[in-house]
């Protein structure tokens, strides 16, 4: 039976309704997808812009650093290759020192050759001229004493070696920093901090790295200058912080002693046998010779018997000043005139590291002679502090409570920075 016209229209309208519903549903799905894609695009744009900003800032910072380093640079000046050596931590091999003058010249030549090879390895060869400077800072008297006690070389050979090295070039210098570990460290730090900032300094080679120079390294790293530094003969067993330092290193095996502790603490001289203490006016007692106290002029201490059996190791769980009783500073660092009446112990077996800590701590206490306005009879050999560690900026000085009360024990700030 044929459908009427009305029925046909009803079917068509129903079909259009279904089609319209499907179209609207699809439209909603597409609109949702478009919104989702727009969100992802916005996130990608944000990430891209952020990355570009970071890269741009890093690029600008690098350009600024290069600009600071090259500001005032004179193209007519020779580029500098500087070398600073802490001789208390790193020194030349005794086989070279015992050759005297010729050994010094040979050491200078071998070291220059090693530096040249390192510059070639770093592809720093496209320069007309390079000016090479070497400065060795050391405690000369302590170094000589250490070598002599080891029966390594004679004083004449040592002096001749230094002359040969320094005369190999007008730019090779040997500087006696004076007594005490701090004297050498302070001078080397100032040398590095000054010369590595020169725009014409191409590389600075540094030998004798230890914990005392970590603050200097951090400062150079913060100023983007650490890339200029090359460590000469770093320790075979570096301390933990040094392992994390991204610094280049140069090894010159056979030229320097493989491992070294600072000589002024490396060993304590033994007692002077066969000499009359009363005639010399000194107390030896296993320490460095120093003037004997007038109140103890008649007291001498005989050489200890079976010393290795009598000495006892430090309790590692306690600091030195907490040992019972604490070690005697004067006994281990100079000589103690109190003998058996001393309230501090002479019986501890101290390692070189513990001796260095003892010496550092002793310098934090004032010398009683200077504190009371008297000249110190021990002079440079005195283990006690002749200068306040805080200098003229001492907080306690302004309150009148600093232990360093003597004249000249708070030197002006500028006097310690003059070169």
């Amino acid at each position: 039976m044929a459908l009427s016209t009305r029925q046909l229209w009803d079917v068509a309208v129903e079909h259009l309704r279904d089609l319209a519903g499907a179209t609207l549903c699809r439209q909603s799905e597409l609109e949702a997808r478009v919104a989702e894609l727009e969100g992802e695009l916005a996130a990608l744009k944000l990430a891209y812009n952020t990355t570009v900003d970071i890269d741009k800032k890093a690029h600008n910072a690098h350009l600024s650093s290069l600009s600071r380093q090259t500001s005032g640079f004179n193209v007519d000046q020779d580029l500098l290759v500087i070398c600073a050596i802490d001789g208390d931590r790193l020194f030349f091999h005794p086989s070279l020192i015992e050759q005297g003058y010729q050994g010094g010249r040979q050491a200078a030549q071998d070291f220059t050759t090693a530096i040249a090879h390192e510059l070639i390895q770093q592809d720093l060869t496209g320069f007309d001229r390079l000016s090479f400077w070497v400065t060795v800072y050391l405690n000369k008297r302590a170094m000589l004493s250490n070598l002599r006690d080891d029966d390594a070389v004679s004083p004449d050979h040592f002096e001749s070696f230094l002359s040969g090295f320094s005369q190999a070039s007008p730019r090779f210098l040997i500087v006696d920093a004076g007594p005490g570990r701090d004297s050498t460290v302070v001078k080397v730090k100032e040398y590095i901090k000054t010369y590595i900032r020169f725009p014409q300094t191409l590389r600075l080679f540094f030998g004798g790295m230890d914990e005392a120079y970590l603050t200097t390294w951090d400062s150079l790293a913060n100023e983007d200058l650490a890339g200029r530094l090359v460590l000469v003969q770093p320790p075979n067993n570096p301390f933990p912080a040094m392992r994390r330092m991204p610094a280049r290193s140069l090894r010159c095996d056979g030229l320097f002693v493989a491992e070294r502790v600072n000589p002024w603490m490396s060993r304590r001289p033994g007692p002077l046998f066969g000499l009359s203490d009363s005639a010399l006016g000194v107390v030896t007692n296993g320490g460095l010779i120093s003037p004997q106290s007038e109140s103890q002029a008649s007291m001498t201490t005989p050489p200890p018997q079976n010393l290795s059996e009598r000495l006892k190791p430090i309790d590692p769980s306690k600091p030195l000043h907490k040992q019972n009783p604490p070690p005697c500073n004067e006994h281990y660092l100079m000589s103690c005139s109190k003998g058996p009446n001393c309230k501090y112990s002479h019986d501890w077996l101290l390692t070189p590291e513990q001796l260095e800590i003892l010496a550092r701590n002793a310098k934090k206490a004032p010398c009683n002679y200077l504190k009371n306005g008297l000249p110190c009879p021990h002079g440079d050999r005195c283990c006690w502090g002749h200068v306040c560690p805080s200098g003229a900026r001492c907080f306690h000085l302004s309150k009148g409570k600093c232990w360093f009360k003597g004249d000249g024990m708070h030197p002006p700030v500028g006097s310690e920075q003059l070169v």
Side-chain angles (χ1 to χ4, degrees):
M1 180 178 180
L3 295 175
S4 65
T5 303
R6 181 175 180 82
Q7 290 175 328
L8 290 174
W9 276 108
D10 289 341
V11 171
V13 169
E14 187 66 27
H15 180 69
L16 287 175
R17 285 177 181 172
D18 292 342
L19 184 61
T23 302
L24 291 174
C25 181
R26 182 60 177 165
Q27 181 181 0
S28 299
E29 292 177 354
L30 292 175
E31 287 177 350
R33 181 58 178 160
V34 168
E36 182 182 353
L37 292 174
E38 287 179 343
E40 292 179 359
L41 178 61
L44 289 174
K45 285 182 178 180
L46 179 61
Y48 174 77
N49 292 333
T50 302
T51 303
V52 170
D53 289 342
I54 293 175
D55 291 343
K56 187 176 180 180
K57 289 179 181 178
H59 178 68
N60 291 339
H62 183 60
L63 288 179
S64 177
S65 174
L66 291 177
S67 177
R68 287 197 306 269
Q69 295 180 29
T70 57
S71 61
F73 180 73
N74 187 347
V75 294
D76 295 329
Q77 291 179 326
D78 294 339
L79 291 176
L80 300 178
V81 176
I82 306 292
C83 180
I85 296 179
D86 181 341
D88 291 351
R89 284 295 185 190
L90 181 71
F91 203 66
F92 297 96
H93 201 280
S95 62
L96 290 168
I97 301 176
E98 66 184 5
Q99 298 177 36
Y101 185 84
Q102 291 302 323
R105 296 187 70 87
Q106 185 65 47
Q109 180 179 343
D110 292 347
F111 190 45
T112 302
T113 302
I115 296 295
H117 287 166
E118 175 63 19
L119 293 176
I120 292 174
Q121 294 241 344
Q122 296 189 33
D123 199 23
L124 300 174
T125 56
F127 305 101
D128 294 335
R129 286 188 59 186
L130 294 176
S131 184
F132 182 41
W133 293 77
V134 179
T135 305
V136 181
Y137 291 92
L138 75 160
N139 181 346
K140 185 177 176 182
R141 183 176 63 183
M143 175 70 71
L144 177 58
S145 175
N146 188 68
L147 293 171
R148 184 169 49 201
D149 290 343
D150 288 337
D151 294 326
V153 296
S154 68
D156 291 340
H157 284 150
F158 180 67
E159 293 289 349
S160 297
F161 173 86
L162 297 183
S163 297
F165 184 85
S166 61
Q167 292 177 21
S169 168
R171 299 186 181 95
F172 284 20
L173 309 174
I174 302 288
V175 179
D176 185 1
R181 173 71 180 141
D182 291 342
S183 298
T184 302
V185 170
V186 168
K187 288 179 172 60
V188 173
K189 281 184 176 181
E190 289 301 318
Y191 185 95
I192 293 174
K193 288 190 291 186
T194 299
Y195 283 95
I196 204 169
R197 288 180 170 85
F198 283 9
Q200 62 267 38
T201 298
L202 184 64
R203 286 292 182 273
L204 194 149
F205 291 81
F206 170 46
M209 180 67 183
D210 69 1
E211 293 92 335
Y213 297 100
L214 287 179
T215 55
T216 301
W217 165 265
D218 292 338
S219 174
L220 297 179
N222 291 334
E223 298 179 47
D224 295 326
L225 294 173
R228 296 185 180 186
L229 193 68
V230 179
L231 301 181
V232 178
Q233 201 78 6
N236 289 331
N237 296 310
F239 48 90
M242 188 174 175
R243 295 192 188 99
R244 299 191 295 270
M245 292 168 52
R248 290 186 65 93
S249 62
L250 169 64
R251 301 206 69 85
C252 308
D253 295 328
L255 183 58
F256 297 100
V257 177
E259 292 285 348
R260 187 169 190 82
V261 295
N262 58 359
W264 75 285
M265 280 297 186
S266 62
R267 60 182 296 174
R268 256 178 82 225
L272 302 179
F273 297 103
L275 298 177
S276 170
D277 289 347
S278 59
L280 293 176
V282 299
V283 176
T284 60
N285 196 28
L288 298 176
I289 300 176
S290 61
Q292 190 173 15
S293 169
E294 294 181 1
S295 62
Q296 302 290 338
S298 62
M299 180 182 296
T300 58
T301 304
Q305 300 296 324
N306 299 324
L307 183 61
S308 60
E309 297 179 4
R310 183 166 60 83
L311 297 180
K312 53 186 179 180
I314 287 288
D315 181 356
S317 65
K318 300 178 182 177
L320 291 178
H321 68 280
K322 293 290 187 180
Q323 304 296 319
N324 186 22
C328 174
N329 289 316
E330 294 186 356
H331 172 75
Y332 288 99
L333 304 177
M334 302 193 310
S335 60
C336 179
S337 60
K338 302 179 183 66
N341 297 322
C342 182
K343 65 178 181 178
Y344 298 104
S345 175
H346 296 185
D347 298 332
W348 294 114
L349 180 62
L350 300 184
T351 64
E353 292 77 12
Q354 290 166 340
L355 284 171
E356 188 169 356
I357 293 173
L358 194 71
R360 238 181 359 246
N361 291 338
K363 288 296 183 182
K364 298 176 183 178
C367 169
N368 279 329
Y369 286 101
L370 296 184
K371 179 180 177 181
N372 294 310
L374 301 173
C376 177
H378 303 298
D380 293 338
R381 292 186 295 258
C382 184
C383 68
W384 304 106
H386 284 194
V387 175
C388 176
S390 301
R393 298 176 180 175
C394 176
F395 171 79
H396 301 288
L397 176 65
S398 62
K399 304 295 183 181
K401 296 181 180 180
C402 182
W403 292 350
F404 292 78
K405 300 181 183 295
D407 293 338
M409 300 187 85
H410 292 85
V413 175
S415 63
E416 297 179 349
Q417 299 176 350
L418 296 178
V419 293

